[in-house]
Structures are given as structure tokens and as C-alpha cells.
Amino acid sequence: MTQARMDLYASIHKGLRSFMADTLAAVGRMDTDDAAERDSTLAQLRALLELLERHARHEDEFIHPVLQARRPGTAGGCSAEHERQRGQLRALRRQADAVEAGSGEARAAAALDLYRQLALAIAENLTHMHEEETANNAVLWAECTDDELVQIHDRIVESVDAQEMAQVIRWMAPSLTPHERTALFGALQAKAPAEVFHRLLEVARPHLAPRDWNKLIFGIAAAPLAA
Ligand SMILES: [Fe+2]
């Protein structure tokens, strides 16, 4: 049996796919006349756009230079797509502002426009992530050892602030298989301060089915937290 290689993309992309799908559905059903629902939906959308922007920046900063150095020319396509994504994210933020500023039928129409443009941006992003997980990984696996890939991964994690980490865990934890989830929290337990590890477990907990939570706790052999 071949040993699975260190995958820099798989887990975070699972989280982003869930976050994108959930947010698209929320924008689609948003009652634009309900201020509380509008505010919470647009806040979720803005959090998604921020995370997508940060994610692309991490890849530009930590992964693309390695691709470029080991096999020149292999990072250009993805970097250009990230630039295009930044433009789309700016446009989506403007559309969210327009929904907030509008009223009545104009606001409902602005929300439908936003929903459609978000769907198109997500469609492109899904294709883009597939390219990264196949073409970029093929280069990384041919040119780098797993130790080198772990170092890149750890440098990315070190650059992430507490708020972004909580956001990532909120979406990534429920999107992984039990095996992947256990590996994620096992690594956090080994590398992060105990209070950070416990805080992130609590971030994940409300979003995990009891079955998945039990598998996780059993898997990492951590004492169950207070109920
Ligand atoms: Fe990317």
C-alpha cells in the first residue's frame, strides 16, 4: 500500500467548499426585509470573502514560491487566477453594500444579483481548487519531501491569527472525515498551547454530530470537556 502524501490543500479546501456552499444557500433564501436576517447573512458573506482573500494570500506567499523555484512556470496560472478572484471579491463586497443600502424591491433585486454573482465566483473557485489539488499537488509531490511540505504547512499556520484560525476550524472540522478530523486536532494538540487547542475544540463542537464528536474525543484520547 502506498503511503498517502502530505496534502497542503485537501482539508482547508473541504472547509472552504462547505463555507461557500452554506453561504450561497443563505444568500439565496435571505429575507431582505428582515433586518436581523439580512445583517447576519451579509456578515457571514463578508467573513467568507475575507477568508477566501486570506487563503489565496497564504498560497501566494508560501506555496507558489516553492512551485516556481522547483519547477519554473507552474505557479503563474494560479497566481493570475488569485488576482482575478481578488477583483471578484471586491465586486461582491460592493454588491453586499448595495443590498444593505437599498430598500424594498430594489433591495430584493440587488440580493438576487448578489446571489447569482456569488454562485459564479464559487463555480470558478471550485474549478480553481481542483486544479490546485491535482496539478499543483503533482508538482509538489514530485519536487518536495513530506518534511518540506509539513514545514510549508506549519509556516502557513503560524501566519494565521486567532480569529482566522477559529473561522477555519469552524468550517473545516465538520467537513472532514473522522480520520482527517482526528489528525487535525492531534496535530493541534501536539503543536499549539493547551488553551488554544481546547478553545478550538469548543469552536468545532457545536458543528459536529454527537457521533463525530465522540469519535474525535476517542481518537485524540483527550478528556471530554465539560458538557
Ligand atoms: Fe488558490
Side-chain angles (χ1 to χ4, degrees), residues 203-224:
V203 166
R205 188 175 191 169
H207 305 289
L208 297 178
R211 188 183 58 242
D212 286 331
W213 173 256
N214 290 337
K215 286 179 186 172
L216 175 60
I217 293 305
F218 183 76
I220 58 179

Side-chain angles (χ1 to χ4, degrees), residues 9 13 55-56 59 64 78 82 85 125 128-129 132:
Y9 295 108
H13 281 181
H55 172 69
E59 291 174 346
H64 292 183
C78 277
H82 284 174
Q85 282 171 11
N125 210 319
H128 170 83
M129 290 194 300
E132 290 174 333

